[in-house]
């Protein structure tokens, strides 16, 4: 019953040469740019050698509203991709790059797990090919140029109190959340209150994920708004003359990274936008390449279906023009039991013992969340497949309860044991997904571009979250009016709320009704291309715990990494 | 007379496969880890397949005291390495990685120039293989752990007012020099005054350059002092439990980067410690590999011979055990004229027209600097070779004046036109270097480990800088006593003073005498392994100018980089 550690499984995998991995997708070795032995970048020129149109079935993996522990969406994505190979499909997987900060914090890495991992997990969880670092560098160059502009006479008339562009670092560092910069002498700038976010939360990262080409990225970087003039006009990176340099810093980062799973299935790892305030999906260019190269592409969306999948449908697909054929909804016994409201699951603590006892009734008591998330997928015209991510502590009666419930809701269902068995543990799931993807493609975004921002927010809140309505704080209402005036009214909305509830209150489990979504303020990522209303406290810079993972990570006598998980 | 731009020359170079470049040095293709098509990392395992002892002649390139424009030390290093190939020598070149901050600031890139460049210059001047980013990440993880320790109860009893560890970013950003962190609520840390340095100034970078193995790097990172307890004891990264994680972040960065010159000569690019407060030399591990693989290794030391070469001899060679066979002293007509005191050379402005007129007398009026720097090389038992780096505006009579002067001082001399002609422009220089390197090896460091810190400082100041004496501020004297008590007394000293004069006053040209070196304070890089007295204002975070290079850097319609220089 005891399994080797993720790091041990990763290290014992026999890796195939990436030329072979790419070759299976019809991507020639001349198109690979190796970074170390086990990662390669795929330049966007690959698109001109692949079929001109997407040919793959396109499957998004999402989840019911998760517990703070997460419900294994990445492992399911990897396991499903592997299982599809067992069924003779040329599958490809697309995931986000993990953020290095949390790797050394409380969360650990994010490469999947068990026998459904992306390998080598050390490469994935650490620098990979430096894309995150490029985002940090491009973001902070822009920040330096903003303050330099203020220092050198402020020709554009930027209001120092309305600079919205902060700085970023890929580290969990709470002390950087709120800082005063520019102290010292006259030669050291001008004092100003500001702060740092984690790199994944950078708009540059959101731009990277939503760009459809190098020149599109150049244009989006130019549209980034760094603040406002005294008369209230937005000031952009283009006006500051730095969008070109930012693009040059990002010119390697825009190439997706090819890796493989523990079963040598191709994986494109690219971009890692922060789900809290951005769309939380991997890159469009990676999916563009994958959908032209593979038979079927499995891509992952962050958080639950109300969050990541909604943004996948309404932001990512809107930008890419790609249409999904099926959506996998990862569900676990533990999360459904938690949605009953009878248990409290806390990150970093063991599960309550009672929760582990056989109890299909508790599972059903939490199933309203599953019902609503199935509906959320259907709202977009996509076929849902419920993947029951099996844990050793589960009971067959509990799986059966989920199956019956989901089937009654008209969804396909499969139990999956990809963590313990790899692809062969996910064969049922793969078959269900192939069937679902055969249905006619009826994908539709939830709202049209021309709908006003306020109505877009109300549409997502009522139809997807199940809110009774939306309340806008005066500042939020003003911001929406300003954004419409600035020409941002056609952008989609990316609602920043907790991912731990369908509602904006993380304590409300199941599928809460009769509540109002409180929009405190609204911000714009005009470069990336969305407006984000903020509903609740959104942390954009994590902290370290009392015993951070960093304390357990080291090299051994042979120079091998130990303690990474 | 008009030459193509550096970027055009770089791009028109026919690059050889790196396997071939490495093969010429006896380094097998199985040892290369490619990063993109034109850069490869060489893992330290290469050392076990190379001869056990260094076999190469070892030549350091340094300079007379430079003008703010620099005198072309990197181009000379590259040109000499190329010329040695013309003479049938298997040469290898070792240089530092340029810092990205200044690439977008006033300075531009640092890949050599003209027909003596390291290519592709875009790779070198931008991310290369991410070593700088790894330094940033490791450094800032330690900073986050320090503040987290204060936040979580401060078991080690760190005095918040005596935290010396700042944060770093590879960007020119004056507003980050002095900041207050930890503002906000109780959950956001504790307010504390601190600041950011540029990444090259990180002690982690100095550690990278001075480490002799992965485990040695682990030990040095552990010895980094982040601050002091209330009772005055140093607190280390090891005590904070983070040295292992920092090593894991740096485990790829310790592998030197193989590139090539415009003439396909092998170049190892590795580490870029900040000459202002650190030793300013490329890495020991790169030189270890190069000296076992090549016939002759040309390595560069930052700034003039009083600074970079003194630290090369007394810090780098002391750590590596490698002994140099010759030192090239780069001299230019313009710098010698500036040392006459009759002209003022300002960065970013054209040279005074009068300076460009034929005037061998002015050259001789500044030659005292050349004499002292020749002596500084001799002080360490090494044969000096003066390289006159030729400019199109020079006059033959001026070159002749330098030659006669230097020969009278007993140095070998050659005029070099590597910028305009590549290796064949540096053949005379290469011949002079080969002759100098044939002399018996008499290298000796200037002082023994056991000399006390104060006397070490006085020895460098009086013997190398030509000072009459040293004055220690009370705080500096106290710090020296504290460091001796902490056990840092055996470390070498790395004196932080201006590089624009042999003295500590940048306005004093030539070879000033009768002055006193004022030591304002003393700091320790206990991890890297040196103590650094501070004499004058040391900027560790540059700013951007009124028209930063970033404004001119962009991509063109084909996605190619333009405006990088």
């Amino acid at each position: 019953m005891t399994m080797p550690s993720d790091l041990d499984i990763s290290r014992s995998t026999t890796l195939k040469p990436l030329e072979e991995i790419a070759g299976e997708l019809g991507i020639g070795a001349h198109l690979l740019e190796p970074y170390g032995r086990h990662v390669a970048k795929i330049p966007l020129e690959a698109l001109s050698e692949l079929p001109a149109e997407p040919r793959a079935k396109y499957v998004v993996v999402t989840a019911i509203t998760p517990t703070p522990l997460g419900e294994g969406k990445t492992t399911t994505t990897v396991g499903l991709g592997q299982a599809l190979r067992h069924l003779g499909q040329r599958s490809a997987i697309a995931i986000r790059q993990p953020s290095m900060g949390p790797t050394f914090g409380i969360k650990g890495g994010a490469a999947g797990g068990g026998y459904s991992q992306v390998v080598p997990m050390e490469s994935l969880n650490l620098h990979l090919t430096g894309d995150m670092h490029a985002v940090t560098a491009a973001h902070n160059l822009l920040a330096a140029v903003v303050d330099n502009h203020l220092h050198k006479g402020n020709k554009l008339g930027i209001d120092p109190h309305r600079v919205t562009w902060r700085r970023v670092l890929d580290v969990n560092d709470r002390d950087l959340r709120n800082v005063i910069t520019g102290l010292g002498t006259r030669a050291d700038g001008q004092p100003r209150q500001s702060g740092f976010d984690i790199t994944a939360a950078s708009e540059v990262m959101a731009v990277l994920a939503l760009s459809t080409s190098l020149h599109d990225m150049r244009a989006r970087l130019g549209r980034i708004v760094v603040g406002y003039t005294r008369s209230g006009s937005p000031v952009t990176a283009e006006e500051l003359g730095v969008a070109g340099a930012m693009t040059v810093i990002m010119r390697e980062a825009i190439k997706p990274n090819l890796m493989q799973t523990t079963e040598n299935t191709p994986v494109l790892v690219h971009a890692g936008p922060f789900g809290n305030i951005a769309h939380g999906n991997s890159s469009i260019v990676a999916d563009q390449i994958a959908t032209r190269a593979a038979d079927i592409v499995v891509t992952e969306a962050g958080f639950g279906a109300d969050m990541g999948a909604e943004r996948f449908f309404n932001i990512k697909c809107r930008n890419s023009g790609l249409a999904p054929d099926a959506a996998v909804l990862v569900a676990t016994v533990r999360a459904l039991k938690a949605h009953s409201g009878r248990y409290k699951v806390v990150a970093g603590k063991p599960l309550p013992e009672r929760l582990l006892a056989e109890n299909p009734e508790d599972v059903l008591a939490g199933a309203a969340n599953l019902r609503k998330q199935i509906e959320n997928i259907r709202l977009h015209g996509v076929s849902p497949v419920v993947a029951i991510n099996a844990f050793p502590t589960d009971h067959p009666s509990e799986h059966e309860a989920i199956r019956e419930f989901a089937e009654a809701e008209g969804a396909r269902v499969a139990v999956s044991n990809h963590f313990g068995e790899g692809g062969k543990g996910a064969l049922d799931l793969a078959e269900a997904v192939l069937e679902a993807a055969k249905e006619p493609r009826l994908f539709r975004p939830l709202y049209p571009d021309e709908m006003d921002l306020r109505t877009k927010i109300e549409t997502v809140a009522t139809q997807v979250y199940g809110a009774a309505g939306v309340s806008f704080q005066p500042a939020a209402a003003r911001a929406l009016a300003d954004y419409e005036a600035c020409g941002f009214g056609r952008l989609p909305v990316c609602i920043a709320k907790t991912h731990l509830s369908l509602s904006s209150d993380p304590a409300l489990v199941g599928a809460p009704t009769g509540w109002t979504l409180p929009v405190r303020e609204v911000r714009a990522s005009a470069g990336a291309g969305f407006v984000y209303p903020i509903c609740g406290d959104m942390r954009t810079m994590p902290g370290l715990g009392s015993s951070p993972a960093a304390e357990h990570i080291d090299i051994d006598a042979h120079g091998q990494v130990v303690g990474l998980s």
Side-chain angles (χ1 to χ4, degrees), chain A residues 54-60 84 89-93 287 290-299 312 322-326 383 433-441:
Chain A
R55 45 177 293 281
K57 295 288 183 185
Y58 190 38
V59 180
V60 62
L84 287 161
Q89 297 280 320
R90 288 201 309 177
S91 63
I93 295 164
D287 286 6
T291 52
R292 298 208 208 162
D295 297 336
I296 183 162
V297 173
V298 186
T299 190
F312 172 80
L322 293 171
D325 297 283
S383 319
V433 165
L434 283 177
E435 268 179 49
K438 269 186 216 141
E439 292 186 8
R441 197 178 259 182

Side-chain angles (χ1 to χ4, degrees), chain A residues 217-241:
Chain A
M217 180 169 76
R218 169 74 181 74
R220 285 176 197 261
L221 290 172
R223 289 197 293 267
I224 287 176
V225 172
V226 300
Y228 297 84
T229 63
R230 293 195 186 86
S231 60
S233 309
V235 177
T236 64
E238 194 65 58
E239 290 172 271
L240 287 164

Side-chain angles (χ1 to χ4, degrees), chain A residues 67 75 107 144 153 239 246 324 559:
Chain A
T67 67
T75 30
K107 185 169 163 284
E239 290 172 271
M246 292 171 76

Side-chain angles (χ1 to χ4, degrees), chain A residues 98-109 170-172 198 274 542-544 549:
Chain A
S99 183
M100 223 164 82
T103 299
F104 294 98
I106 194 173
K107 185 169 163 284
D170 191 7
V171 61
N172 285 17
I198 194 161
F274 203 54
L544 292 170

Side-chain angles (χ1 to χ4, degrees), chain A residues 30-172:
Chain A
H30 65 287
L31 285 167
L32 297 185
E33 297 175 3
Y35 274 70
R37 296 189 192 286
H38 305 305
V39 187
K41 279 199 168 285
I42 304 181
L44 302 192
E45 289 74 50
L47 284 168
S48 61
E49 300 196 16
L50 288 169
E53 292 296 323
R55 45 177 293 281
K57 295 288 183 185
Y58 190 38
V59 180
V60 62
V61 177
T62 179
I64 62 167
T65 301
T67 67
L69 309 178
E71 305 316 313
K73 218 163 42 222
T74 306
T75 30
T76 306
T77 304
V78 173
L80 172 58
Q82 293 183 148
L84 287 161
R85 293 249 140 185
H86 292 251
L87 300 180
Q89 297 280 320
R90 288 201 309 177
S91 63
I93 295 164
I95 62 165
R96 286 169 294 165
Q97 180 183 350
S99 183
M100 223 164 82
T103 299
F104 294 98
I106 194 173
K107 185 169 163 284
Y115 291 97
S116 293
Q117 284 189 65
V118 180
V119 288
M121 69 93 98
E122 302 101 301
S123 303
L124 185 65
N125 283 317
L126 296 171
H127 310 282
L128 198 61
T129 59
D131 299 346
M132 288 267 180
H133 298 315
V135 170
T136 304
H139 185 116
N140 292 332
L141 175 62
L142 177 54
V145 166
V146 170
D147 273 313
N148 191 56
H149 191 85
L150 294 175
H151 183 71
K152 298 281 186 188
N154 195 7
K155 257 191 225 157
L156 294 172
I158 302 170
D159 181 350
H161 294 284
R162 293 198 68 195
V163 173
T164 50
W165 195 250
R166 292 156 51 95
R167 291 176 176 83
V168 296
L169 268 182
D170 191 7
V171 61
N172 285 17

